[in-house]
């Protein structure tokens, strides 16, 4: 494989981030429409409306996310397949 350096690496979720979020929403019976608010600039970032749900998400992510170091190219290629 390719040599990974600090300048060329990404941190990747083994279980895709969107799948992890879907599992969180199911496990906690979250109404995604009411609990997620769009970013102020209506671009990419969204956030949870309540501190309680945000705290639960951070804990859920900490317990369930499996992360790996990969090259930026490999990570971006994987995202295109999804």
């Amino acid at each position: 494989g390719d040599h990974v350096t600090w300048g060329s690496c990404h941190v990747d979720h083994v279980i895709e981030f969107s799948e992890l979020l879907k599992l969180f929403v199911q496990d906690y019976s979250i109404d995604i429409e009411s609990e997620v608010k769009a970013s102020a600039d209506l671009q990419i970032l969204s956030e949870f409306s309540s501190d309680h749900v945000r705290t639960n998400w951070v804990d859920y992510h900490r317990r369930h996310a499996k992360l790996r170091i990969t090259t930026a190219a490999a990570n971006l290629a994987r995202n295109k397949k999804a």
Side-chain angles (χ1 to χ4, degrees), residues 29-54:
S29 300
I30 304 282
D31 176 12
I32 201 80
E33 297 296 322
S34 66
E35 288 294 343
V36 175
K37 63 180 180 178
S39 65
D41 62 4
L42 299 175
Q43 295 297 312
I44 295 172
L45 298 176
S46 298
E47 60 186 47
F48 291 111
S49 298
S50 74
D51 289 337
H52 177 71
V53 173
R54 185 178 309 112

Side-chain angles (χ1 to χ4, degrees), residues 1-4 8-13 16 68-82:
D2 294 332
H3 182 71
V4 178
S8 69
C9 71
H10 276 195
V11 176
D12 181 38
H13 287 79
E16 299 240 0
R68 62 184 167 198
I69 302 296
T70 185
T71 63
N75 187 33
L76 295 173
R78 179 179 181 218
N79 289 337
K80 286 182 180 179
K81 293 177 190 175

